[in-house]
Amino acid sequence: MKRERKEPTTLFALTSFLLIIAVLVILINLGVNTTISIFLGAVVAVGIALALGISWDEIEKTIKNVIADSTPTFLIVLMVGMLVGIWMASGTVPALMYYGMELISPTILVPLAFILSSVTSIFTGTSFGSVATMGLAMVGIAMTTDISIPLVVGAIVSGAWLGDKMSPLSDTTNMASGVSKVPLYDHIGSMMYTTLPAALIAIVLFAIAGFAFGAGSMDASQSQLIMSTLEEHFNMSLILILPAILVLLVSVFKMPAILGMGLTVIISAIFAMVFQGVGFVDLMNYAFNGFSIETGVAIVDPMLNRGGVTSMMELLGIFMMASVMGAVITSTGILDVIARNVLLKFIKNRVVLVFTTLIYCYVVNFLAAGGQIVSIIVTEQTFEEAFDRMGIHRKVLSRTLEDAGTLSAPIVPWGVATIYVMSVLNVDASYIPYCWFIFLVPVFSILCSVTGIGMWNTKGEKMWGRQKAGATPLVK
């Protein structure tokens, strides 16, 4: 007999919400593997769904749909692993490190890490790809200086997620505009109001930090040792950087992400065989297991021995569990109830609306283990009616989704993005406090709501100086 589906009460929704958070936080703090912790969180979510009368068939259907929708992301992650291993073998990343050490001064290394990671991510549409390529090279250079590695990684992550937020090729950019029913470039234009000022301030802060920590020169003996080791084991040439440029070109020509990444993997493999003389079988093993070399220099080997499909397996497991958990939680309707019966009761003007939307994105992202897509979708569904009722254009909603939903992903300690950064760049979570750009953007999001700058009504008319923040009308 088919059970009748129940609408969760406010108390049930809040209790369920806090229970799932408690499971995740307690297990991870006890040292339980992140994938297993999220799996158990998903088990709790399934129990909540069953208690609400949601059939197992419906839950299973939801899980299958989410996994199917996530498949392109899974493939891209696998190809990023392949690309890193192949780029190591081809000399692309070693060349970026080699010539970077020749050209980059430690005083500009930190702001340059932010700028170059931003550019790479904007053109590729992937923060993960930017971290694995430009980020990897910048960390390698930073290791020859006395600059704090977490600081450099903070700059890299800030730049990588700036691009992920702004690139028309990014999945989050398209997702936020799509679910909000806002034209893509209207959405990007709206984000300029919070992203550009935050980026300018972040560059200044990173520059000051760079001068403070890198006022001296690089460790000449150490950098020379690394450069000579790289030169000894690779045929160095500027042409080796071309595969990295190719990543930018396939994006400029708007090639589909999977096709573009696949083409880059193939051409990079050809470079490895032609310029480094790597055998085909060895190269395929590098693509799967990661690049492996013993140079005899302790500081160089960890820089080079990385990548491969196997390096991404834990990440894929977390991705799948986070996607499943987020989907099941959404299907229960508890987030909708919390928003409707608790959050929306406090929304009286546009400032509170934007602030509440930001906070909601953060909460969902932390609950969904840094699942930025889940955060964007759930938050949009919860708040679109409030934006419409208050007469505020949805491109403000879509922007707010990215200001918090997209950008908070790499600062969730147990999240997918954070674990990815830590595994690829070989750091711990100590980089998070240095992600200054990520913390600045929401500040400007709130400032826009207070001043009216970068705010539009539902007709697309500017709110600049039209009304005070507390006077935004509620559309019945």
Side-chain angles (χ1 to χ4, degrees), residues 97 104 108-122 126-143 147-164 202 206 306 407 410-411 417 420-422 424-427 431-432 434-438:
M97 293 166 55
I104 295 176
I108 64 169
L109 176 61
V110 180
L112 199 60
F114 173 71
I115 293 170
L116 292 180
S117 295
S118 299
V119 171
T120 302
S121 190
I122 287 171
T126 166
S127 51
F128 281 21
S130 179
V131 167
T133 53
M134 186 58 67
L136 203 57
M138 299 305 288
V139 167
I141 296 169
M143 290 177 69
I147 299 175
S148 165
I149 297 299
L151 170 61
V152 175
V153 174
I156 292 166
V157 169
S158 293
W161 262 264
L162 181 155
D164 196 4
F206 286 130
R306 59 181 67 223
L407 291 184
I411 61 171
Y420 176 84
V421 170
M422 292 191 295
V424 171
L425 300 183
N426 196 28
V427 294
Y431 77 85
I432 292 176
Y434 297 104
C435 296
W436 295 327
F437 169 78
I438 290 173

Side-chain angles (χ1 to χ4, degrees), residues 26-207:
I26 291 173
L27 289 176
I28 290 172
N29 286 335
L30 287 174
V32 176
N33 175 271
T34 303
T35 305
I36 300 302
S37 298
I38 298 173
F39 169 75
L40 293 175
V43 170
V44 173
V46 169
I48 293 168
L50 292 173
L52 290 170
I54 301 173
S55 68
W56 173 250
D57 287 343
E58 187 176 345
I59 295 172
E60 188 175 31
K61 182 179 179 181
T62 301
I63 293 172
K64 288 179 179 178
N65 289 338
V66 168
I67 296 298
D69 292 341
S70 302
T71 298
T73 302
F74 297 159
L75 291 175
I76 289 172
V77 169
L78 289 175
M79 284 192 284
V80 166
M82 292 181 199
L83 191 61
V84 172
I86 292 172
W87 273 13
M88 289 299 179
S90 68
T92 296
V93 173
L96 288 169
M97 293 166 55
Y98 181 86
Y99 292 109
M101 288 180 203
E102 282 193 336
L103 301 174
I104 295 176
S105 163
T107 55
I108 64 169
L109 176 61
V110 180
L112 199 60
F114 173 71
I115 293 170
L116 292 180
S117 295
S118 299
V119 171
T120 302
S121 190
I122 287 171
F123 280 109
T124 61
T126 166
S127 51
F128 281 21
S130 179
V131 167
T133 53
M134 186 58 67
L136 203 57
M138 299 305 288
V139 167
I141 296 169
M143 290 177 69
T144 70
T145 74
D146 58 356
I147 299 175
S148 165
I149 297 299
L151 170 61
V152 175
V153 174
I156 292 166
V157 169
S158 293
W161 262 264
L162 181 155
D164 196 4
K165 176 181 187 286
M166 297 298 294
S167 174
L169 304 173
S170 168
D171 57 350
T172 56
T173 308
N174 285 277
M175 178 65 71
S177 63
V179 296
S180 303
K181 300 178 180 63
V182 175
L184 178 60
Y185 288 99
D186 286 357
H187 167 59
I188 293 173
S190 176
M191 290 194 292
M192 292 289 186
Y193 287 88
T194 57
T195 303
L196 287 183
L200 291 174
I201 293 176
I203 289 173
V204 172
L205 292 176
F206 286 130

Side-chain angles (χ1 to χ4, degrees), residues 313-334:
M313 297 313 294
E314 182 180 5
L315 177 64
L316 280 177
I318 295 172
F319 255 143
M320 294 180 69
M321 286 300 106
S323 299
V324 168
M325 185 180 71
V328 176
I329 291 172
T330 302
S331 71
T332 64
I334 63 172

Side-chain angles (χ1 to χ4, degrees), residues 163 171 175 187 191 198 209-211 215 235 257 260 263 280 296 306 308 310 360 369 375 411 429 437 448:
D171 57 350
M175 178 65 71
H187 167 59
M191 290 194 292
F211 280 113
N235 298 316
L263 178 63
F280 179 77
R306 59 181 67 223
T310 54
Y360 197 80
S375 178
I411 61 171
F437 169 78
C448 283

Side-chain angles (χ1 to χ4, degrees), residues 135-418:
L136 203 57
M138 299 305 288
V139 167
I141 296 169
M143 290 177 69
T144 70
T145 74
D146 58 356
I147 299 175
S148 165
I149 297 299
L151 170 61
V152 175
V153 174
I156 292 166
V157 169
S158 293
W161 262 264
L162 181 155
D164 196 4
K165 176 181 187 286
M166 297 298 294
S167 174
L169 304 173
S170 168
D171 57 350
T172 56
T173 308
N174 285 277
M175 178 65 71
S177 63
V179 296
S180 303
K181 300 178 180 63
V182 175
L184 178 60
Y185 288 99
D186 286 357
H187 167 59
I188 293 173
S190 176
M191 290 194 292
M192 292 289 186
Y193 287 88
T194 57
T195 303
L196 287 183
L200 291 174
I201 293 176
I203 289 173
V204 172
L205 292 176
F206 286 130
I208 292 172
F211 280 113
F213 290 101
S217 60
M218 294 183 183
D219 183 339
S221 60
Q222 191 177 52
S223 61
Q224 189 57 47
L225 175 62
I226 293 173
M227 291 173 66
S228 62
T229 302
L230 293 175
E231 201 168 21
E232 178 182 349
H233 291 86
F234 296 93
N235 298 316
M236 282 297 165
S237 169
L238 283 172
I239 199 171
L240 297 176
I241 300 174
L242 287 180
I245 297 174
L246 177 62
V247 172
L248 304 181
L249 291 178
V250 296
S251 301
V252 169
F253 290 108
K254 299 182 179 180
M255 186 177 292
I258 294 178
L259 181 60
M261 187 68 72
L263 178 63
T264 305
V265 167
I266 292 171
I267 292 179
S268 299
I270 293 172
F271 266 62
M273 291 185 286
V274 172
F275 293 102
Q276 305 300 336
V278 181
F280 179 77
V281 173
D282 288 338
L283 189 60
M284 294 302 99
N285 286 328
Y286 292 148
F288 185 77
N289 297 313
F291 185 67
S292 178
I293 190 172
E294 293 183 8
T295 64
V297 179
I299 193 174
V300 174
D301 288 353
M303 295 181 187
L304 303 178
N305 294 336
R306 59 181 67 223
V309 170
T310 54
S311 69
M312 297 294 166
M313 297 313 294
E314 182 180 5
L315 177 64
L316 280 177
I318 295 172
F319 255 143
M320 294 180 69
M321 286 300 106
S323 299
V324 168
M325 185 180 71
V328 176
I329 291 172
T330 302
S331 71
T332 64
I334 63 172
L335 295 177
D336 291 337
V337 170
I338 292 171
R340 184 173 62 250
N341 297 344
V342 180
L343 298 177
L344 295 183
K345 286 187 176 181
F346 298 97
I347 297 175
K348 303 299 181 184
N349 57 61
R350 69 181 183 229
V351 177
V352 178
L353 176 59
V354 170
F355 179 78
T356 305
T357 306
L358 290 169
I359 295 299
Y360 197 80
C361 277
Y362 284 124
V363 171
V364 175
N365 224 343
F366 273 74
L367 178 61
Q372 51 196 22
I373 294 296
V374 173
S375 178
I376 287 170
I377 293 173
V378 171
T379 306
E380 193 284 330
Q381 292 174 346
T382 304
F383 285 92
E384 66 176 25
E385 182 181 347
F387 275 81
D388 292 343
R389 284 172 44 224
M390 202 158 286
I392 298 175
H393 200 285
R394 286 198 183 185
K395 63 184 175 182
V396 177
L397 169 60
S398 66
R399 175 182 74 204
T400 309
L401 298 176
E402 295 235 60
D403 287 350
T406 297
L407 291 184
S408 61
I411 61 171
V412 178
W414 54 84
V416 171
T418 304

